[in-house]
Structure formats: structure tokens, C-alpha cells
Amino acid sequence: MKQRVILRNIIKHFILITKHRWIVLKLCCRVGLPWRGIVHDLSKYSPTEFFESIEYYEGNRSPIVGAKKDKGYSEAWLHHKGRNKHHCEYWVDMNAPDKTPIMPYKYTAEMICDKLAAGIIYQGKNWNKEYPINYWKKEREKAQMNENLKDLLTDFFMQVSVDGIDKVLTKKNIQGLYKKYCANS
């Protein structure tokens, strides 16, 4: 029985991360960064990330949550955030003068696409245009991220909640928000 569960989790997790990457690719193309979409989250297929993720696979949330709950940490997350520059945690250095610097534009845009795609994948048919801002409101304070980037995400997700992804996820809008919140910092 356990072998069936493991095989099922392998297949389902592979499909889940591949669907996620496909959505990120489509969203990254909309903001003019197809390469970021192509290389997005390739580390999720590595043994360190993949095997822990199949062990804690649930299908409706990140396996990292289950690993942290069970063990107090996630090897997959530690591996992932150290290799993927679209995660704000990649840039955090508590010993640097600027502990949470502003991420470069291309990784900020990829992060936006990633956050949208994660919500779409995990919420499925329950996803709606208000989901990103409602989720972000719960996460904002604990996010280890530059305050300007937090403001950018808040602005963007508010726009999504009003006008939807199709209208606001454009290269021009993302560049404009980045310039507004991050260019002069």
C-alpha cells in the first residue's frame, strides 16, 4: 500500500510542479521575460526538493508547509530559496548593512508571476481575482522583504483584485510599478 501512495505522490507532485511552471512561463511571457519562465523552479526536480516534496505532498498546499510542521524546517525550502533568485529570502542577509535589498527587476517580475501561479494552482476552481490580495494581506508582515517591494506587491495585487490579471499583468504596468517603488531607493 505504501508503494502505491509513494508512486501516486511522485506522479501528482511532478504534474503539480510542471503545471505551476507552465503557468509561470505563460505569465512571464506576458511581462516580456520568457527566459525567466523557462528556467523557473527547475530546482524543484532536484532530489533534495523532489523527494521531500513527495513525502509531504498534499496537493492543496506546498509540501514545505507539512515538512516545517513535522520537522520544524524543510530541506527542500532551504535548498530552493538558496537557488531561486525570485524568492525574496534569497536576498536576505542579516549581517549586511541593507538586510533586505531591493531585488533586481527581472526577479521581482518573476516573483509576481510565481505568486499568481501558486494561487491559481493551489486554489484551482476556487481562485478569484481577490485571492492574491487577501493572501498577501496575511503574509505581508512576516515576509522578509524590502518595504518598497512589499508596497509594490500590495499595489499590484490590489490592481488584480479590481481589474483582474489580464488587464494588469503587462510589461508596461510591472515596469511602471517597479520604477515607482524601487528605482529611486
Side-chain angles (χ1 to χ4, degrees):
M1 187 65 153
K2 184 148 174 75
Q3 289 176 329
R4 267 195 221 161
V5 171
I6 292 169
L7 182 59
R8 185 200 74 206
N9 286 2
I10 289 169
I11 293 166
K12 287 190 171 202
H13 184 64
F14 180 83
I15 291 169
L16 181 95
I17 60 178
T18 303
K19 281 183 179 177
H20 170 73
R21 290 188 63 247
W22 175 246
I23 293 170
V24 172
L25 172 60
K26 292 191 296 186
L27 297 177
C28 280
C29 286
R30 293 183 59 177
V31 297
L33 296 168
W35 183 250
R36 296 306 324 145
I38 290 168
V39 300
H40 179 79
D41 278 357
L42 285 173
S43 69
K44 285 189 177 186
Y45 299 106
S46 71
T48 301
E49 293 182 38
F50 195 81
F51 292 136
E52 183 180 85
S53 294
I54 61 170
E55 181 180 349
Y56 291 97
Y57 178 83
E58 294 178 44
N60 61 352
R61 69 178 184 173
S62 172
I64 289 166
V65 174
K68 286 180 178 181
K69 189 175 182 180
D70 184 37
K71 302 186 298 186
Y73 69 97
S74 166
E75 291 174 59
W77 174 240
L78 295 171
H79 186 270
H80 189 74
K81 72 176 182 172
R83 285 158 181 78
N84 293 278
K85 295 179 182 181
H86 65 276
H87 287 288
C88 57
E89 296 86 355
Y90 176 92
W91 301 93
V92 173
D93 183 349
M94 299 313 284
N95 294 316
D98 186 358
K99 294 170 181 18
T100 56
I102 290 175
M103 295 164 53
Y105 170 77
K106 66 183 176 181
Y107 303 119
T108 300
E110 182 184 356
M111 174 181 62
I112 289 168
C113 296
D114 181 43
K115 288 181 179 301
L116 289 171
I120 291 166
I121 285 292
Y122 288 121
Q123 292 302 302
K125 293 176 184 171
N126 294 324
W127 189 91
N128 60 51
K129 65 183 184 175
E130 291 84 23
Y131 178 81
I133 190 63
N134 292 335
Y135 186 83
W136 175 241
K137 284 178 181 176
K138 291 185 266 182
E139 296 296 314
R140 181 185 166 113
E141 289 312 309
K142 55 186 169 183
Q144 286 187 311
M145 179 188 295
N146 185 283
E147 288 299 319
N148 295 40
L149 288 172
K150 287 182 180 184
D151 292 342
L152 183 157
L153 288 176
T154 301
D155 191 341
F156 176 76
F157 293 141
M158 284 299 295
Q159 289 179 20
V160 170
S161 73
V162 173
D163 295 318
I165 291 175
D166 291 339
K167 187 170 181 183
V168 301
L169 187 67
T170 65
K171 181 178 181 178
K172 181 179 179 181
N173 189 38
I174 301 300
Q175 285 178 334
L177 288 170
Y178 191 83
K179 184 176 180 183
K180 176 180 178 181
Y181 291 103
C182 301
N184 296 323
S185 299

